[in-house]
Amino acid sequence: MHIEPFSIDFPDSALDDLRYRLRNTRLAEPLPDQGWREGMDMDVLRGLIEHWSTAFDWRAREAELNRLPQFVAEIEGQRVHFIYQRGVGPDPMPLVLTHGWPGSFIEMQRIIALLADPASHGGDPADAFHVVVPSLPGYTFSAPFQQAGKGPYEVAGLWRTLMNGLGHERFGAQGGDLGAGVSTWLGLRFPDQVTGIHLNYIPGSYRPPLDETAAPQTEEESLFLQRAAQFGEAEGAYAHIQRTKPQSLAVGLNDSPAGLLAWMGEKVLAWCDTGADHRPAIEREWLLTNATLYWLTNCIGSSFRPYVEGSQRPLLFNSGERVTPPVGVAVFPKELPMPPRSWVQRGYNVTHWSAMPRGGHFAALEQPQLLAQDIRAFFRTLRQ
């Protein structure tokens, strides 16, 4: 496995083109007082575009990201971008963190130091991790797969090879959203190498074995299935088009930064928690940094591929099939519909379950301290 250092450096011409497109945006005219009922609030979007095209300082964000130890590796012909922060402690545990959509590796930016150097952030140095944060194939600086039929299942194989190539034969895995699916596949495919798995989301395609030997569904499980169906009906259009007809959508979003921001920003702002002031927990600067990365790397189309491929190989567990490494789950109150513990335990070896006091879908970004504390607590019992 060949590894090289990496830094972000986009030309001024690309930034000039982005600003030109933003300043010449044609927004749709909403109905009076339409707000968020049918998608992105146009007044909110208009303000974001104004800031993005004038005051947003990409070079400052770029410099900040370049302070992270970034690398690219060639793994079986596949270019993989990743952060590798060595732990500070007596015996750091290797841990791979996987992001989701519509995020990127910068979802993990705030939690990396908390896990790699806990003593500098009020924690115990014995809880330190060697932290690896890869970019999913087709996201920002990781090359997309060049043929159909490769999705989260295959990503798990790449991550195993990456961790082994870094000298880590055994390692932990953590993730939410798509990262929860990749982490689950790591546990299913390579149970002897995965120390444990920590999740802050249960993959939407997960269905435990429910054959004639399974216990009947509890009332709590039935209510979860109802909530999930209601969410799919009211909010699931994005996922349906991204796994069925993504190419037409990608053309428009790849040509219009305003469209890209509306499509991704609606989900980011809707899925995060709010603070005491009722404002989104995710800051405007992060939202625009993430959108800029998607724009400058032309990756929105390839970011849809895990939806297409994941639908072809969903996490439908057969009778007797389980994730055998220990699993910890952190449940954040503003998360998308989450199953109860009894439902998860049908297919996962759940040994740790935490109800968190606040936070939404982007836990590592919204509540890095809370998530880091729970990750440390879960893996503490698994260290050798």
Side-chain angles (χ1 to χ4, degrees):
M1 186 174 70
H2 181 66
I3 300 175
E4 293 182 352
F6 178 82
S7 63
I8 305 169
D9 183 20
F10 290 106
D12 288 338
S13 59
L15 301 175
D16 292 341
D17 176 68
L18 171 59
R19 284 188 286 266
Y20 173 81
R21 290 170 183 259
L22 289 169
R23 289 168 182 162
N24 289 276
T25 297
R26 296 191 309 167
L27 289 180
E29 287 298 325
L31 295 174
D33 302 317
Q34 194 166 19
W36 293 90
R37 289 196 309 272
E38 297 172 16
M40 187 77 172
D41 184 303
M42 288 297 108
D43 290 335
V44 173
L45 180 60
R46 189 174 288 107
L48 287 170
I49 291 171
E50 173 66 21
H51 184 77
W52 199 8
S53 63
T54 56
F56 177 70
D57 187 350
W58 166 252
R59 291 304 184 196
R61 304 285 77 76
E62 187 177 68
E64 182 180 306
L65 293 174
N66 279 335
R67 287 194 282 273
L68 297 170
Q70 298 179 68
F71 303 87
V72 290
E74 290 291 329
I75 304 174
E76 300 170 0
Q78 187 72 31
R79 173 189 165 99
V80 175
H81 164 264
F82 64 100
I83 295 166
Y84 185 31
Q85 182 68 65
R86 302 281 296 183
V88 180
D91 188 20
M93 173 185 283
L95 179 67
V96 58
L97 306 176
T98 308
H99 67 84
W101 187 93
S104 64
F105 71 96
I106 66 171
E107 278 184 56
M108 308 300 180
Q109 185 177 357
R110 296 175 178 175
I111 202 173
I112 292 171
L114 304 180
L115 296 173
D117 188 8
S120 295
H121 300 86
D124 187 338
D127 288 333
F129 296 89
H130 294 310
V131 181
V132 181
V133 182
S135 294
L136 287 167
Y139 284 66
T140 64
F141 305 107
S142 283
F145 288 123
Q146 293 301 305
Q147 65 261 26
K150 292 193 174 184
Y153 178 94
E154 286 75 21
V155 173
L158 283 178
W159 279 197
R160 191 276 298 261
T161 302
L162 172 63
M163 295 301 284
N164 291 173
L166 293 172
H168 307 310
E169 292 300 316
R170 283 180 56 79
F171 55 90
Q174 200 284 331
D177 196 79
L178 293 173
V182 172
S183 299
T184 298
W185 280 119
L186 276 166
L188 283 169
R189 295 187 63 189
F190 313 110
D192 294 337
Q193 291 191 256
V194 175
T195 308
I197 298 168
H198 186 280
L199 305 175
N200 54 280
Y201 184 68
I202 301 302
S205 67
Y206 162 68
R207 291 295 181 272
L210 292 172
D211 60 16
E212 65 277 2
T213 65
Q217 292 179 16
T218 66
E219 181 179 359
E220 193 178 16
E221 292 173 353
S222 296
L223 289 173
F224 155 68
L225 293 174
Q226 291 174 25
R227 291 195 305 272
Q230 291 166 358
F231 176 85
E233 177 65 24
E235 302 288 343
Y238 81 98
H240 187 73
I241 194 170
Q242 287 179 189
R243 67 174 176 261
T244 57
K245 300 293 183 183
Q247 196 62 36
S248 300
L249 172 65
V251 173
L253 302 186
N254 206 53
D255 194 56
S256 168
L260 178 71
L261 179 60
W263 188 259
M264 294 167 49
E266 178 209 335
K267 298 309 176 191
V268 171
L269 297 176
W271 294 347
C272 72
D273 200 356
T274 55
D277 58 359
H278 303 293
R279 296 175 64 87
I282 293 178
E283 301 166 355
R284 176 177 62 179
E285 294 301 300
W286 185 91
L287 179 63
L288 295 178
T289 300
N290 191 58
T292 303
L293 281 170
Y294 268 69
W295 176 261
L296 294 175
T297 58
N298 301 311
C299 77
I300 186 63
S302 53
S303 80
F304 295 156
R305 293 307 306 173
Y307 287 81
V308 176
E309 304 300 346
S311 69
Q312 302 301 312
R313 194 196 286 262
L315 283 162
L316 301 179
F317 285 39
N318 297 317
S319 178
E321 188 175 16
R322 288 175 58 80
V323 177
T324 56
V327 175
V329 180
V331 182
F332 288 82
K334 298 300 183 181
E335 180 57 274
L336 310 188
M338 281 282 283
R341 181 169 183 167
S342 62
W343 184 257
V344 180
Q345 286 180 160
R346 295 172 187 266
Y348 290 83
N349 178 23
V350 179
T351 62
H352 174 99
W353 187 275
S354 300
M356 311 305 284
R358 57 191 176 276
H361 188 64
F362 306 93
L365 178 62
E366 299 175 53
Q367 298 295 336
Q369 287 280 0
L370 287 177
L371 182 59
Q373 289 168 11
D374 202 66
I375 293 171
R376 293 176 199 155
F378 167 66
F379 282 104
R380 192 172 295 139
T381 61
L382 303 179
R383 293 176 180 266
Q384 297 177 352

